Amino acid sequence: MTLDRTAFFIDGDWAAPATGDTIQVVSPHSEQVVATVPEGSRADIDAAVAAARRAFDEGPWPGMTPEQRIEVVQNFSNLYAAKLGEMAEVISTEMGAPLSFSNLAQAPAPWMQIEAFLGIARTYPWEETRAGALGEVLVRREPVGVVAAIPPWNVPQFTIMSKLVPALLAGCTVVVKPAPETPLDTYLMAELLQEAGVPAGVVNIVAAGREVGEHLVRHPGVDKVAFTGSTAAGRAIASICGEQLKRVSLELGGKSAAIVLDDADLAATMEGLKFTALMNSGQACVAQTRILASRANYAAVVDALAETVAGMAVGDPLDPATEIGPMVAQRQQERVEKYIALGQEEGARVVVGGNGMPDGLSCGWYVRPTVFADVDNRMRIAQEEIFGPVLSVIAYDDVDDAVRIANDSEYGLAGTVWTGDVDAGLDVARRVRTGTYGVNTYTMDFAAPFGGYKSSGVGREFGPEGLAHYTELKSIYKP
């Protein structure tokens, strides 16, 4: 089966690109080209926005009842559910996620989002009557308009669905700009949208790089930008949207802390941290890469973490046994290796890992999963998002000190506490300034809002709050 493509999905059909530029999708494992697809230009974005604009301004989608839109999105969900295995394999092929993670999160979790938003939409107050001070007021929630949805490469379908599905249910039309590293999954998604009966122009997909992405953000035909990615890129997008008074929601970076209290079951904690700290080979904004341990229990936590990480299988992402795969690109491999070298320069101690290829591998953009001990929270490896399998163990004096260290970050996206006392864990959770938090676990419940404090973003995804970002409020005053 070839993964090569020659067109974009624009105005309900496959459209020839405006230029002959192409993107070569390279396997992070083999370093071989696995597919060639067109690379979007400004002209392609213009065509996609024009189609979305027509579909919103003239087409049936915004004027359909919520129930009619729900029916179409339910068709899409049913079709998507039948393609989970194929979607997982495509994403592992293009960006190197271990297939075990793709079968858990890269494909099923996006489908779970669709179903969750469908449930929310069925009871959402699209129109309600309120008793006002001067009489009855009709409050409507109407679609915000044309949405530019810009996902990153690390969890492409997951981050697309958090934008696409609420936008569709609200009556918006959408232009999706996938990252150039991960365009392949969106072709499968487009085929399912087409088969589901989504009207022409309601969803348009053009893969492109950063400069063309900026053209989409600035485009006067776009009413709202929904972006997931780095904090630096988020700041630039927020600046543009601020100038234009354009609606924007941003899900950005993180440097989350996992606080290990002394009464925690250490074996269970380590099993939990394998996922919460190293999911997707560490390429996750919510990864808990700062491990906080008390001075009294520090050596035990370091030893347990070192044993856990050293025992994780590193290799071919399509091998079901693999737990840590390659980095998405050579530049990401180089970035992580520079941070590993920097950590040693800063005085941190490598307990497991370090620079160099993992044992048994001679090609691919791999790094050795690394655990640093003797880390001060002021070090760059403790403050900056590395986006790879690199963990820093930081000592704290008492619970108050642990909370202080956890909060000593420009980010506030996620976090966990590990303890035998759930009430004590909840007390810690209430004090750490992050948008999401877990006690003895970390997960995302699609009925609840997800997003960050501080430099981790603006706005929320999932839940009714996530749907609300794609609506405008209108008050109609009755006589």
Side-chain angles (χ1 to χ4, degrees):
M1 179 182 71
T2 180
L3 295 173
D4 291 343
R5 300 285 187 158
T6 59
F8 296 120
F9 188 67
I10 297 175
D11 209 11
D13 209 345
W14 301 103
T19 74
D21 295 339
T22 59
I23 295 169
Q24 289 190 325
V25 183
V26 179
S27 162
H29 168 66
S30 68
E31 301 181 39
Q32 300 299 308
V33 175
V34 295
T36 300
V37 303
E39 180 174 10
S41 65
R42 293 187 174 205
D44 297 307
I45 291 294
D46 290 343
V49 173
R53 191 77 259 168
R54 283 192 303 273
F56 185 79
D57 294 339
E58 305 168 16
W61 191 251
M64 292 167 64
T65 66
E67 292 74 21
Q68 289 172 321
R69 292 194 294 267
I70 286 168
E71 183 179 357
V72 176
V73 176
Q74 185 66 69
N75 291 342
F76 172 57
S77 180
N78 297 341
L79 293 166
Y80 200 97
K83 295 287 187 178
L84 297 184
E86 184 178 345
M87 184 66 79
E89 188 168 345
V90 167
I91 294 174
S92 286
T93 298
E94 66 185 345
M95 64 76 54
L99 193 58
S100 57
F101 180 77
S102 290
N103 282 325
L104 174 71
Q106 294 281 24
W111 173 72
M112 291 170 66
Q113 283 188 53
I114 305 172
E115 286 293 308
F117 275 121
L118 282 165
I120 292 163
R122 288 189 176 100
T123 59
Y124 195 70
W126 298 105
E127 190 169 288
E128 60 180 310
T129 300
R130 297 183 187 176
L134 303 175
E136 283 191 342
V137 181
L138 186 66
V139 178
R140 286 174 49 81
R141 290 163 177 84
E142 299 182 347
V144 73
V146 175
V147 174
I150 306 177
W153 47 258
N154 62 324
V155 279
Q157 282 292 297
F158 187 96
T159 50
I160 288 172
M161 290 306 163
S162 66
K163 303 160 181 56
L164 176 67
V165 179
L168 291 179
L169 291 168
C172 301
T173 60
V174 186
V175 176
V176 180
K177 189 210 75 69
E181 294 84 358
T182 51
L184 303 180
D185 56 281
T186 58
Y187 282 94
L188 176 56
M189 182 185 77
E191 291 168 353
L192 301 179
L193 288 164
Q194 194 175 38
E195 187 177 351
V198 175
V202 172
V203 180
N204 309 271
I205 305 170
V206 176
R210 181 171 294 180
E211 289 185 6
V212 173
E214 182 176 333
H215 179 65
L216 174 62
V217 170
R218 290 187 181 276
H219 202 292
V222 169
D223 299 299
K224 172 185 165 62
V225 176
F227 171 79
T228 299
S230 72
T231 296
R235 287 192 174 103
I237 289 170
S239 177
I240 294 168
C241 292
E243 290 173 6
Q244 299 182 352
L245 294 180
K246 185 175 290 185
R247 277 62 176 151
V248 63
S249 51
L250 305 168
E251 197 275 284
L252 307 176
K255 192 68 180 179
S256 302
I259 299 173
V260 183
L261 299 184
D262 287 350
D263 64 350
D265 180 324
L266 210 50
T269 298
M270 292 304 120
E271 191 61 30
L273 288 177
K274 286 173 70 172
F275 179 77
T276 61
L278 293 168
M279 67 178 88
N280 206 22
S281 311
Q283 297 174 123
C285 55
V286 297
Q288 337 268 284
T289 54
R290 292 184 295 154
I291 314 300
L292 277 52
S294 74
R295 297 191 187 281
N297 204 33
Y298 188 82
V301 171
V302 169
D303 289 346
L305 190 62
E307 182 180 357
T308 299
V309 173
M312 295 180 74
V314 182
D316 185 349
L318 296 181
D319 183 342
T322 293
E323 295 172 284
I324 302 287
M327 301 294 94
V328 71
Q330 186 175 15
R331 70 172 191 283
Q332 189 65 20
Q333 177 195 44
E334 293 171 351
R335 171 187 170 89
V336 176
E337 288 183 336
K338 286 177 181 176
Y339 271 106
I340 292 172
L342 175 64
Q344 294 171 281
E345 292 170 12
E346 290 182 306
R349 172 169 57 93
V350 172
V351 182
V352 168
N355 274 329
M357 284 286 280
D359 294 342
L361 294 169
S362 58
C363 72
W365 297 315
Y366 290 89
V367 296
R368 296 170 69 188
T370 298
V371 175
F372 278 109
D374 304 333
V375 178
D376 187 291
N377 196 56
R378 293 168 293 186
M379 292 179 179
R380 286 179 60 190
I381 59 168
Q383 288 291 323
E384 299 176 14
E385 188 174 41
I386 299 173
F387 230 61
V390 179
L391 307 180
S392 297
V393 189
I394 302 168
Y396 65 82
D397 297 323
D398 53 24
V399 174
D400 289 343
D401 191 41
V403 171
R404 179 193 63 78
I405 293 170
N407 286 333
D408 183 16
S409 170
E410 74 165 306
Y411 299 107
L413 187 58
T416 52
V417 60
W418 304 83
T419 175
D421 184 340
V422 172
D423 287 337
L426 289 171
D427 179 64
V428 170
R430 293 183 181 103
R431 297 167 63 194
V432 177
R433 289 185 53 76
T434 68
T436 58
Y437 208 82
V439 179
N440 294 336
T441 187
Y442 183 80
T443 188
M444 296 179 192
D445 191 312
F446 302 129
F450 169 77
Y453 290 20
K454 300 184 279 188
S455 294
S456 287
V458 175
R460 292 293 183 269
E461 296 181 326
F462 312 151
E465 296 83 359
L467 181 52
H469 274 292
Y470 296 87
T471 65
E472 292 277 19
L473 288 165
K474 176 185 285 183
S475 297
I476 302 175
Y477 310 110
K478 294 184 178 181

